[in-house]
Amino acid sequence: MQRTLPLPADVLYAALESSSNHIIITDPEGKIVYANKAVSHITGYAPEEILGSTPRLWGGLMSQAFYTEFWDTIKHKKRPFYGEINNKRKNGELYTAVSRVSPILNEAQELLGFIGTEEDISNRKEYERTLEHRTQELQETKTQIEQEKVRYQALLNSIGDGVVACDQTGVAIFANTAAETILGLTQEQIVGTTWTVSNPTVVTEQGDPIPLAMRAHMQAKATSKVAHARYYYQTLSGKKIPVSVTASPIVLENLYLGTIIVFRDVTSETLVDKAKTEFVSLASHQLRTPLSAINWYTEMLLAGDGGPLLAEQRRYLQEVATANARMIQLVNSLLNVSRIELGTFMVQPQTVDVLSVLRSVMDELKPAIDERRLHFIETHEGATSTQADPILLRAIIQNILSNAVKYTPEEGHISAGLRTIPSAQEIAGVSVPAGSTLLTVTDTGYGIPENQAHKIFTKLFRADNVQEKDTQGTGLGLYIVKSICQAAGGGIWFTSKENQGSTFYFFIPPGGMQAKMGTKQLATS
Amino acid sequence: MDILVIEDEKPLLDAITIKLEKNGFTTFVARTCEQAISILESHPTLQAVWLDHYLIGEHTGIDFIAQAKQHPEYKHIPIFVVTNTGGTEKQQTYIRLGAERYYIKSNHRLDEIILDIQKYLTKKTQRS
């Protein structure tokens, strides 16, 4: 229908002129007889420069072979040419065009001229080049990422610790070889499941489940800080594996993305530790028998059961008795440490008047206080009864007070204050809840050197400044006190200045000590 | 006052008996559970037993107290456990089986324990 549409010549001409494609008409020799506006626009040549010229004005950049074939096609074979050619604008800029050249033939198939159209595709070419470049870049990046992934996987798989990565919902997205080995599971069983809801289950040594909120990865999520924990993974087969766990949150620009959980099978460490503690327990226990013999025979000698003693003999025997008493105390302390470390000691809270315990310890220390001519003041206010294990409470108070006595020079001052804290408050940097029972013991003693303050509660530690002054300390007392506080609830801390004195603070929380099941009581000294 | 001392360690056994006799006791000694039972059977005058946990042989003080407290003739005899085994579990077992008192050897003087036994026996005599 369109073909038969009768269009006036001026309309057709207007259509030619308004085309965005370049259109020329030449004579059989290639001389341009017509060029539309787009030709000037694309090539940059004015119509007067174009008319009478040939397309070589902007073309002629292709090879000789190209032109030979080009002319052969359109002139001799009288067939249209279609292809991409390179051209040059008047301003020297190169561009690519898709060109179509058709011979104009009369009815006798004689050549009258050519119609040439060209479409400037240099922009498209540019896009294509950019796209190709980008694709190549992407390919390289992809290869790099893949290589890196393989490298990291090899790295993660070569370490002995189990590594599991979770996304923000807690679903495991990666597990390394060690994680598979420790848990007895495959990657496929770990990845894609919520860590760790059912497999493995997380339990205590006794097999009680540990609540989700108490596990390292949930704490890391809640606090956005690295969290550590020690508990047991129980596998499907029921095997309990002691693990030391470190969970690190992945946070990018305040956005929580997930957690990396690193865990180590501490079976052998635990066994070695247990064997060591059991050995200490056994050795200490065995030591008690000969110590009892020394104890009882010196007692009998001093009592005159073996006949009258010379003053000199009595003095020597007294030394034996004192040394033996210290040995017994050391053995008791070692046994206590082993009970703490084996977790076998019990906490049995009952109603206790802390003041009466304090006073009984003071009575016990009276000979030492008098000998050193120390000034001792006791103060108390409010109710002094609470729920506490009397044996443990006594051990704590005994340790704090006897330290004050041991480490205060002659004629120094010691004050022990006992009170109930009416409202929550911060005392020497520690927040103490309302209703706590607080014991404060201040002395004018040797003090604790500032650079050693952080070690004071560690096992077998003794500060440099007192080692020479008092050789009796075992370095176990405050470690035991701290361990009791950790197991029973409550707190112990101090402030100190070397050569001026120390203040030790101890509190029992408002509800009293927490009960703890166990098989052994701590030995009283 | 007749007392049976059951203790496996010879030096300790000697110290205990010497001190007891100095305090007016007549002592009978045993180092195994079997010896102790036979002394119990042959000496109806016994007023108290001093008992250690670990004994020579396969039986311990727990076996002794379990057997002694089963017999109507002996179950009234007070048993004082004096041992170096400080476990609460054992201590509770002894108390449950009827021991009067439980002492850790190294933490107590002989005269302390003997005074306790004497006080106990005096009170008992006054009661009866």
Side-chain angles (χ1 to χ4, degrees), chain A residues 121-161:
Chain A
I121 59 160
S122 50
N123 280 347
R124 203 174 85 199
K125 275 280 159 196
E126 186 61 34
Y127 290 142
E128 276 174 13
R129 267 196 298 277
T130 310
L131 193 67
E132 199 180 331
H133 187 63
R134 288 281 144 82
T135 310
Q136 202 179 339
E137 271 181 359
L138 276 176
Q139 195 59 47
E140 278 167 18
T141 311
K142 193 183 161 207
T143 311
Q144 253 175 20
I145 289 172
E146 272 168 1
Q147 281 175 352
E148 236 158 272
K149 193 180 161 194
V150 170
R151 215 173 292 144
Y152 281 128
Q153 259 172 4
L155 189 72
L156 288 168
N157 283 336
S158 66
I159 61 174
D161 289 5

mmCIF file of all heavy atoms in Angstrom, chain A residues 121-161:
data_model
loop_
_atom_site.group_PDB
_atom_site.id
_atom_site.type_symbol
_atom_site.label_atom_id
_atom_site.label_comp_id
_atom_site.label_asym_id
_atom_site.label_seq_id
_atom_site.Cartn_x
_atom_site.Cartn_y
_atom_site.Cartn_z
ATOM 1 N N ILE A 121 28.258 5.494 13.245
ATOM 2 C CA ILE A 121 28.110 4.584 14.405
ATOM 3 C C ILE A 121 29.294 4.705 15.368
ATOM 4 O O ILE A 121 29.556 3.825 16.181
ATOM 5 C CB ILE A 121 27.928 3.107 13.964
ATOM 6 C CG1 ILE A 121 29.130 2.658 13.124
ATOM 7 C CG2 ILE A 121 26.618 2.893 13.232
ATOM 8 C CD1 ILE A 121 29.289 1.154 13.040
ATOM 9 N N SER A 122 30.008 5.822 15.279
ATOM 10 C CA SER A 122 31.196 5.932 16.153
ATOM 11 C C SER A 122 30.828 5.911 17.635
ATOM 12 O O SER A 122 31.563 5.348 18.450
ATOM 13 C CB SER A 122 32.011 7.171 15.818
ATOM 14 O OG SER A 122 31.175 8.295 15.767
ATOM 15 N N ASN A 123 29.675 6.497 18.003
ATOM 16 C CA ASN A 123 29.251 6.462 19.409
ATOM 17 C C ASN A 123 29.022 5.029 19.859
ATOM 18 O O ASN A 123 29.475 4.611 20.915
ATOM 19 C CB ASN A 123 27.960 7.257 19.621
ATOM 20 C CG ASN A 123 28.254 8.740 19.719
ATOM 21 O OD1 ASN A 123 29.418 9.134 19.877
ATOM 22 N ND2 ASN A 123 27.219 9.552 19.594
ATOM 23 N N ARG A 124 28.299 4.307 18.992
ATOM 24 C CA ARG A 124 28.001 2.921 19.315
ATOM 25 C C ARG A 124 29.300 2.128 19.447
ATOM 26 O O ARG A 124 29.481 1.308 20.343
ATOM 27 C CB ARG A 124 27.121 2.330 18.205
ATOM 28 C CG ARG A 124 26.309 1.145 18.668
ATOM 29 C CD ARG A 124 25.357 0.711 17.590
ATOM 30 N NE ARG A 124 26.009 -0.184 16.664
ATOM 31 C CZ ARG A 124 25.526 -0.420 15.426
ATOM 32 N NH1 ARG A 124 24.434 0.187 14.997
ATOM 33 N NH2 ARG A 124 26.156 -1.255 14.637
ATOM 34 N N LYS A 125 30.216 2.436 18.550
ATOM 35 C CA LYS A 125 31.524 1.755 18.577
ATOM 36 C C LYS A 125 32.226 2.007 19.908
ATOM 37 O O LYS A 125 32.813 1.119 20.501
ATOM 38 C CB LYS A 125 32.394 2.275 17.423
ATOM 39 C CG LYS A 125 32.130 1.549 16.147
ATOM 40 C CD LYS A 125 32.871 0.231 16.184
ATOM 41 C CE LYS A 125 32.234 -0.719 15.186
ATOM 42 N NZ LYS A 125 32.625 -2.096 15.423
ATOM 43 N N GLU A 126 32.139 3.286 20.329
ATOM 44 C CA GLU A 126 32.776 3.673 21.577
ATOM 45 C C GLU A 126 32.176 2.871 22.741
ATOM 46 O O GLU A 126 32.884 2.326 23.581
ATOM 47 C CB GLU A 126 32.576 5.184 21.797
ATOM 48 C CG GLU A 126 33.318 5.764 22.990
ATOM 49 C CD GLU A 126 34.837 5.609 22.883
ATOM 50 O OE1 GLU A 126 35.374 5.664 21.759
ATOM 51 O OE2 GLU A 126 35.479 5.397 23.942
ATOM 52 N N TYR A 127 30.823 2.780 22.729
ATOM 53 C CA TYR A 127 30.138 2.016 23.777
ATOM 54 C C TYR A 127 30.593 0.567 23.763
ATOM 55 O O TYR A 127 30.864 -0.029 24.797
ATOM 56 C CB TYR A 127 28.612 2.058 23.588
ATOM 57 C CG TYR A 127 27.991 3.395 23.863
ATOM 58 C CD1 TYR A 127 26.930 3.856 23.081
ATOM 59 C CD2 TYR A 127 28.448 4.204 24.913
ATOM 60 C CE1 TYR A 127 26.349 5.096 23.313
ATOM 61 C CE2 TYR A 127 27.878 5.438 25.148
ATOM 62 C CZ TYR A 127 26.830 5.888 24.342
ATOM 63 O OH TYR A 127 26.267 7.109 24.584
ATOM 64 N N GLU A 128 30.681 0.058 22.545
ATOM 65 C CA GLU A 128 31.075 -1.352 22.421
ATOM 66 C C GLU A 128 32.470 -1.586 23.000
ATOM 67 O O GLU A 128 32.710 -2.547 23.702
ATOM 68 C CB GLU A 128 31.049 -1.784 20.954
ATOM 69 C CG GLU A 128 29.669 -2.191 20.505
ATOM 70 C CD GLU A 128 29.611 -2.476 19.004
ATOM 71 O OE1 GLU A 128 30.696 -2.584 18.377
ATOM 72 O OE2 GLU A 128 28.496 -2.597 18.490
ATOM 73 N N ARG A 129 33.352 -0.625 22.653
ATOM 74 C CA ARG A 129 34.722 -0.762 23.171
ATOM 75 C C ARG A 129 34.728 -0.693 24.700
ATOM 76 O O ARG A 129 35.376 -1.486 25.369
ATOM 77 C CB ARG A 129 35.610 0.348 22.583
ATOM 78 C CG ARG A 129 36.323 -0.077 21.317
ATOM 79 C CD ARG A 129 37.465 0.879 20.994
ATOM 80 N NE ARG A 129 37.001 2.233 20.738
ATOM 81 C CZ ARG A 129 36.528 2.658 19.561
ATOM 82 N NH1 ARG A 129 36.457 1.833 18.523
ATOM 83 N NH2 ARG A 129 36.123 3.902 19.416
ATOM 84 N N THR A 130 33.969 0.283 25.255
ATOM 85 C CA THR A 130 33.904 0.446 26.713
ATOM 86 C C THR A 130 33.358 -0.828 27.358
ATOM 87 O O THR A 130 33.896 -1.335 28.340
ATOM 88 C CB THR A 130 33.002 1.636 27.077
ATOM 89 O OG1 THR A 130 33.417 2.742 26.312
ATOM 90 C CG2 THR A 130 33.093 1.957 28.567
ATOM 91 N N LEU A 131 32.284 -1.338 26.728
ATOM 92 C CA LEU A 131 31.630 -2.525 27.267
ATOM 93 C C LEU A 131 32.595 -3.711 27.290
ATOM 94 O O LEU A 131 32.706 -4.431 28.281
ATOM 95 C CB LEU A 131 30.402 -2.857 26.404
ATOM 96 C CG LEU A 131 29.452 -3.872 26.988
ATOM 97 C CD1 LEU A 131 28.778 -3.285 28.228
ATOM 98 C CD2 LEU A 131 28.374 -4.256 25.967
ATOM 99 N N GLU A 132 33.324 -3.818 26.171
ATOM 100 C CA GLU A 132 34.277 -4.921 26.062
ATOM 101 C C GLU A 132 35.359 -4.814 27.138
ATOM 102 O O GLU A 132 35.720 -5.774 27.796
ATOM 103 C CB GLU A 132 34.918 -4.877 24.676
ATOM 104 C CG GLU A 132 35.550 -6.182 24.272
ATOM 105 C CD GLU A 132 36.161 -6.052 22.879
ATOM 106 O OE1 GLU A 132 35.652 -5.239 22.087
ATOM 107 O OE2 GLU A 132 37.143 -6.763 22.620
ATOM 108 N N HIS A 133 35.791 -3.560 27.346
ATOM 109 C CA HIS A 133 36.823 -3.283 28.327
ATOM 110 C C HIS A 133 36.338 -3.658 29.735
ATOM 111 O O HIS A 133 37.027 -4.334 30.490
ATOM 112 C CB HIS A 133 37.162 -1.798 28.258
ATOM 113 C CG HIS A 133 38.330 -1.407 29.103
ATOM 114 N ND1 HIS A 133 39.601 -1.896 28.880
ATOM 115 C CD2 HIS A 133 38.418 -0.582 30.191
ATOM 116 C CE1 HIS A 133 40.419 -1.406 29.787
ATOM 117 N NE2 HIS A 133 39.727 -0.599 30.597
ATOM 118 N N ARG A 134 35.083 -3.208 30.014
ATOM 119 C CA ARG A 134 34.509 -3.483 31.331
ATOM 120 C C ARG A 134 34.345 -4.992 31.569
ATOM 121 O O ARG A 134 34.629 -5.504 32.648
ATOM 122 C CB ARG A 134 33.117 -2.822 31.477
ATOM 123 C CG ARG A 134 33.151 -1.331 31.605
ATOM 124 C CD ARG A 134 33.535 -0.908 33.031
ATOM 125 N NE ARG A 134 34.363 0.286 33.011
ATOM 126 C CZ ARG A 134 33.882 1.523 32.894
ATOM 127 N NH1 ARG A 134 32.588 1.714 32.798
ATOM 128 N NH2 ARG A 134 34.705 2.541 32.866
ATOM 129 N N THR A 135 33.879 -5.655 30.524
ATOM 130 C CA THR A 135 33.682 -7.101 30.624
ATOM 131 C C THR A 135 34.990 -7.786 30.977
ATOM 132 O O THR A 135 35.052 -8.670 31.828
ATOM 133 C CB THR A 135 33.129 -7.650 29.297
ATOM 134 O OG1 THR A 135 32.025 -6.862 28.911
ATOM 135 C CG2 THR A 135 32.698 -9.102 29.436
ATOM 136 N N GLN A 136 36.043 -7.284 30.309
ATOM 137 C CA GLN A 136 37.362 -7.867 30.560
ATOM 138 C C GLN A 136 37.803 -7.612 32.005
ATOM 139 O O GLN A 136 38.303 -8.503 32.683
ATOM 140 C CB GLN A 136 38.361 -7.250 29.586
ATOM 141 C CG GLN A 136 39.574 -8.126 29.387
ATOM 142 C CD GLN A 136 40.528 -7.484 28.391
ATOM 143 O OE1 GLN A 136 40.127 -6.635 27.595
ATOM 144 N NE2 GLN A 136 41.769 -7.900 28.451
ATOM 145 N N GLU A 137 37.541 -6.366 32.450
ATOM 146 C CA GLU A 137 37.887 -6.008 33.832
ATOM 147 C C GLU A 137 37.149 -6.897 34.830
ATOM 148 O O GLU A 137 37.730 -7.398 35.789
ATOM 149 C CB GLU A 137 37.499 -4.551 34.116
ATOM 150 C CG GLU A 137 38.594 -3.576 33.782
ATOM 151 C CD GLU A 137 38.178 -2.137 34.106
ATOM 152 O OE1 GLU A 137 37.030 -1.928 34.561
ATOM 153 O OE2 GLU A 137 39.001 -1.254 33.910
ATOM 154 N N LEU A 138 35.851 -7.070 34.559
ATOM 155 C CA LEU A 138 35.024 -7.900 35.437
ATOM 156 C C LEU A 138 35.554 -9.322 35.502
ATOM 157 O O LEU A 138 35.630 -9.934 36.555
ATOM 158 C CB LEU A 138 33.574 -7.923 34.938
ATOM 159 C CG LEU A 138 32.709 -6.752 35.382
ATOM 160 C CD1 LEU A 138 31.335 -6.846 34.743
ATOM 161 C CD2 LEU A 138 32.552 -6.755 36.907
ATOM 162 N N GLN A 139 35.922 -9.788 34.321
ATOM 163 C CA GLN A 139 36.446 -11.150 34.224
ATOM 164 C C GLN A 139 37.703 -11.288 35.085
ATOM 165 O O GLN A 139 37.868 -12.254 35.827
ATOM 166 C CB GLN A 139 36.747 -11.464 32.753
ATOM 167 C CG GLN A 139 36.953 -12.948 32.459
ATOM 168 C CD GLN A 139 35.726 -13.772 32.825
ATOM 169 O OE1 GLN A 139 34.616 -13.401 32.481
ATOM 170 N NE2 GLN A 139 35.919 -14.847 33.553
ATOM 171 N N GLU A 140 38.559 -10.266 34.987
ATOM 172 C CA GLU A 140 39.803 -10.293 35.762
ATOM 173 C C GLU A 140 39.512 -10.261 37.262
ATOM 174 O O GLU A 140 40.096 -11.013 38.041
ATOM 175 C CB GLU A 140 40.691 -9.096 35.381
ATOM 176 C CG GLU A 140 41.488 -9.341 34.112
ATOM 177 C CD GLU A 140 42.110 -8.069 33.558
ATOM 178 O OE1 GLU A 140 42.214 -7.079 34.318
ATOM 179 O OE2 GLU A 140 42.469 -8.075 32.368
ATOM 180 N N THR A 141 38.565 -9.375 37.632
ATOM 181 C CA THR A 141 38.200 -9.253 39.045
ATOM 182 C C THR A 141 37.627 -10.567 39.558
ATOM 183 O O THR A 141 37.959 -11.034 40.647
ATOM 184 C CB THR A 141 37.167 -8.129 39.242
ATOM 185 O OG1 THR A 141 37.645 -6.984 38.566
ATOM 186 C CG2 THR A 141 36.962 -7.818 40.713
ATOM 187 N N LYS A 142 36.787 -11.161 38.717
ATOM 188 C CA LYS A 142 36.155 -12.425 39.095
ATOM 189 C C LYS A 142 37.235 -13.494 39.334
ATOM 190 O O LYS A 142 37.219 -14.201 40.333
ATOM 191 C CB LYS A 142 35.201 -12.862 37.981
ATOM 192 C CG LYS A 142 34.270 -13.973 38.413
ATOM 193 C CD LYS A 142 33.380 -14.425 37.263
ATOM 194 C CE LYS A 142 32.829 -15.801 37.567
ATOM 195 N NZ LYS A 142 32.520 -16.540 36.338
ATOM 196 N N THR A 143 38.179 -13.538 38.428
ATOM 197 C CA THR A 143 39.265 -14.512 38.567
ATOM 198 C C THR A 143 40.034 -14.257 39.861
ATOM 199 O O THR A 143 40.343 -15.164 40.616
ATOM 200 C CB THR A 143 40.232 -14.402 37.363
ATOM 201 O OG1 THR A 143 39.440 -14.399 36.181
ATOM 202 C CG2 THR A 143 41.211 -15.548 37.333
ATOM 203 N N GLN A 144 40.291 -12.933 40.073
ATOM 204 C CA GLN A 144 41.020 -12.561 41.286
ATOM 205 C C GLN A 144 40.272 -13.002 42.542
ATOM 206 O O GLN A 144 40.848 -13.573 43.455
ATOM 207 C CB GLN A 144 41.160 -11.036 41.338
ATOM 208 C CG GLN A 144 42.560 -10.567 41.048
ATOM 209 C CD GLN A 144 42.610 -9.049 41.004
ATOM 210 O OE1 GLN A 144 41.730 -8.367 41.533
ATOM 211 N NE2 GLN A 144 43.644 -8.540 40.369
ATOM 212 N N ILE A 145 38.953 -12.721 42.551
ATOM 213 C CA ILE A 145 38.133 -13.074 43.713
ATOM 214 C C ILE A 145 38.144 -14.582 43.920
ATOM 215 O O ILE A 145 38.298 -15.070 45.032
ATOM 216 C CB ILE A 145 36.685 -12.544 43.543
ATOM 217 C CG1 ILE A 145 36.687 -11.022 43.666
ATOM 218 C CG2 ILE A 145 35.755 -13.156 44.587
ATOM 219 C CD1 ILE A 145 35.372 -10.365 43.333
ATOM 220 N N GLU A 146 38.019 -15.296 42.815
ATOM 221 C CA GLU A 146 38.013 -16.757 42.929
ATOM 222 C C GLU A 146 39.336 -17.275 43.483
ATOM 223 O O GLU A 146 39.361 -18.157 44.332
ATOM 224 C CB GLU A 146 37.712 -17.393 41.564
ATOM 225 C CG GLU A 146 36.223 -17.539 41.351
ATOM 226 C CD GLU A 146 35.845 -17.881 39.923
ATOM 227 O OE1 GLU A 146 36.753 -18.020 39.076
ATOM 228 O OE2 GLU A 146 34.636 -17.996 39.677
ATOM 229 N N GLN A 147 40.421 -16.657 42.973
ATOM 230 C CA GLN A 147 41.738 -17.070 43.473
ATOM 231 C C GLN A 147 41.860 -16.780 44.960
ATOM 232 O O GLN A 147 42.355 -17.589 45.737
ATOM 233 C CB GLN A 147 42.838 -16.326 42.719
ATOM 234 C CG GLN A 147 43.113 -16.920 41.349
ATOM 235 C CD GLN A 147 44.114 -16.084 40.578
ATOM 236 O OE1 GLN A 147 44.491 -14.993 41.014
ATOM 237 N NE2 GLN A 147 44.537 -16.593 39.428
ATOM 238 N N GLU A 148 41.378 -15.580 45.343
ATOM 239 C CA GLU A 148 41.449 -15.185 46.735
ATOM 240 C C GLU A 148 40.624 -16.121 47.617
ATOM 241 O O GLU A 148 41.040 -16.509 48.693
ATOM 242 C CB GLU A 148 40.931 -13.759 46.900
ATOM 243 C CG GLU A 148 41.945 -12.856 47.561
ATOM 244 C CD GLU A 148 41.687 -11.406 47.250
ATOM 245 O OE1 GLU A 148 42.201 -10.929 46.217
ATOM 246 O OE2 GLU A 148 40.948 -10.777 48.017
ATOM 247 N N LYS A 149 39.445 -16.468 47.109
ATOM 248 C CA LYS A 149 38.548 -17.352 47.850
ATOM 249 C C LYS A 149 39.247 -18.694 48.109
ATOM 250 O O LYS A 149 39.252 -19.207 49.225
ATOM 251 C CB LYS A 149 37.265 -17.559 47.038
ATOM 252 C CG LYS A 149 36.155 -18.190 47.846
ATOM 253 C CD LYS A 149 34.916 -18.377 47.003
ATOM 254 C CE LYS A 149 34.006 -19.395 47.653
ATOM 255 N NZ LYS A 149 32.963 -19.856 46.743
ATOM 256 N N VAL A 150 39.859 -19.202 47.049
ATOM 257 C CA VAL A 150 40.561 -20.482 47.168
ATOM 258 C C VAL A 150 41.699 -20.356 48.176
ATOM 259 O O VAL A 150 41.910 -21.212 49.017
ATOM 260 C CB VAL A 150 41.084 -20.937 45.781
ATOM 261 C CG1 VAL A 150 42.005 -22.127 45.916
ATOM 262 C CG2 VAL A 150 39.913 -21.253 44.879
ATOM 263 N N ARG A 151 42.401 -19.199 48.083
ATOM 264 C CA ARG A 151 43.519 -18.977 48.987
ATOM 265 C C ARG A 151 43.044 -18.928 50.444
ATOM 266 O O ARG A 151 43.603 -19.545 51.320
ATOM 267 C CB ARG A 151 44.206 -17.652 48.621
ATOM 268 C CG ARG A 151 45.696 -17.682 48.819
ATOM 269 C CD ARG A 151 46.340 -16.422 48.295
ATOM 270 N NE ARG A 151 46.262 -16.325 46.844
ATOM 271 C CZ ARG A 151 46.093 -15.174 46.173
ATOM 272 N NH1 ARG A 151 45.953 -14.048 46.810
ATOM 273 N NH2 ARG A 151 46.055 -15.178 44.863
ATOM 274 N N TYR A 152 41.986 -18.160 50.687
ATOM 275 C CA TYR A 152 41.451 -18.048 52.044
ATOM 276 C C TYR A 152 40.915 -19.381 52.546
ATOM 277 O O TYR A 152 41.080 -19.731 53.703
ATOM 278 C CB TYR A 152 40.357 -16.979 52.124
ATOM 279 C CG TYR A 152 40.918 -15.591 52.194
ATOM 280 C CD1 TYR A 152 40.493 -14.611 51.312
ATOM 281 C CD2 TYR A 152 41.881 -15.266 53.143
ATOM 282 C CE1 TYR A 152 41.025 -13.332 51.363
ATOM 283 C CE2 TYR A 152 42.415 -13.995 53.200
ATOM 284 C CZ TYR A 152 41.984 -13.027 52.301
ATOM 285 O OH TYR A 152 42.510 -11.769 52.358
ATOM 286 N N GLN A 153 40.279 -20.107 51.637
ATOM 287 C CA GLN A 153 39.758 -21.406 52.049
ATOM 288 C C GLN A 153 40.894 -22.331 52.441
ATOM 289 O O GLN A 153 40.817 -23.036 53.449
ATOM 290 C CB GLN A 153 38.916 -22.018 50.934
ATOM 291 C CG GLN A 153 37.442 -21.826 51.228
ATOM 292 C CD GLN A 153 36.549 -22.218 50.088
ATOM 293 O OE1 GLN A 153 37.034 -22.720 49.067
ATOM 294 N NE2 GLN A 153 35.270 -21.993 50.246
ATOM 295 N N ALA A 154 41.967 -22.293 51.630
ATOM 296 C CA ALA A 154 43.129 -23.130 51.935
ATOM 297 C C ALA A 154 43.706 -22.727 53.288
ATOM 298 O O ALA A 154 44.059 -23.564 54.113
ATOM 299 C CB ALA A 154 44.176 -22.985 50.840
ATOM 300 N N LEU A 155 43.749 -21.403 53.489
ATOM 301 C CA LEU A 155 44.270 -20.865 54.744
ATOM 302 C C LEU A 155 43.416 -21.331 55.928
ATOM 303 O O LEU A 155 43.915 -21.855 56.917
ATOM 304 C CB LEU A 155 44.252 -19.340 54.656
ATOM 305 C CG LEU A 155 44.948 -18.567 55.773
ATOM 306 C CD1 LEU A 155 46.444 -18.716 55.645
ATOM 307 C CD2 LEU A 155 44.573 -17.100 55.698
ATOM 308 N N LEU A 156 42.098 -21.160 55.785
ATOM 309 C CA LEU A 156 41.182 -21.537 56.866
ATOM 310 C C LEU A 156 41.180 -23.038 57.102
ATOM 311 O O LEU A 156 41.026 -23.499 58.221
ATOM 312 C CB LEU A 156 39.766 -21.051 56.546
ATOM 313 C CG LEU A 156 39.571 -19.540 56.657
ATOM 314 C CD1 LEU A 156 38.263 -19.118 56.043
ATOM 315 C CD2 LEU A 156 39.632 -19.101 58.111
ATOM 316 N N ASN A 157 41.354 -23.779 56.007
ATOM 317 C CA ASN A 157 41.335 -25.235 56.143
ATOM 318 C C ASN A 157 42.634 -25.779 56.717
ATOM 319 O O ASN A 157 42.681 -26.892 57.209
ATOM 320 C CB ASN A 157 41.045 -25.892 54.804
ATOM 321 C CG ASN A 157 39.574 -25.793 54.466
ATOM 322 O OD1 ASN A 157 38.737 -25.653 55.362
ATOM 323 N ND2 ASN A 157 39.255 -25.855 53.193
ATOM 324 N N SER A 158 43.710 -24.967 56.626
ATOM 325 C CA SER A 158 44.992 -25.482 57.108
ATOM 326 C C SER A 158 45.187 -25.202 58.595
ATOM 327 O O SER A 158 46.114 -25.705 59.195
ATOM 328 C CB SER A 158 46.135 -24.873 56.304
ATOM 329 O OG SER A 158 46.195 -23.502 56.569
ATOM 330 N N ILE A 159 44.317 -24.378 59.207
ATOM 331 C CA ILE A 159 44.502 -24.121 60.633
ATOM 332 C C ILE A 159 43.766 -25.158 61.472
ATOM 333 O O ILE A 159 42.777 -25.731 61.040
ATOM 334 C CB ILE A 159 44.114 -22.678 61.051
ATOM 335 C CG1 ILE A 159 42.644 -22.395 60.763
ATOM 336 C CG2 ILE A 159 45.005 -21.666 60.409
ATOM 337 C CD1 ILE A 159 42.192 -21.063 61.293
ATOM 338 N N GLY A 160 44.291 -25.352 62.667
ATOM 339 C CA GLY A 160 43.771 -26.421 63.523
ATOM 340 C C GLY A 160 42.499 -26.059 64.268
ATOM 341 O O GLY A 160 41.812 -26.926 64.792
ATOM 342 N N ASP A 161 42.178 -24.760 64.339
ATOM 343 C CA ASP A 161 40.970 -24.336 65.050
ATOM 344 C C ASP A 161 39.758 -24.437 64.137
ATOM 345 O O ASP A 161 39.866 -24.201 62.932
ATOM 346 C CB ASP A 161 41.113 -22.877 65.510
ATOM 347 C CG ASP A 161 42.111 -22.721 66.642
ATOM 348 O OD1 ASP A 161 42.742 -23.739 66.989
ATOM 349 O OD2 ASP A 161 42.258 -21.614 67.155
#
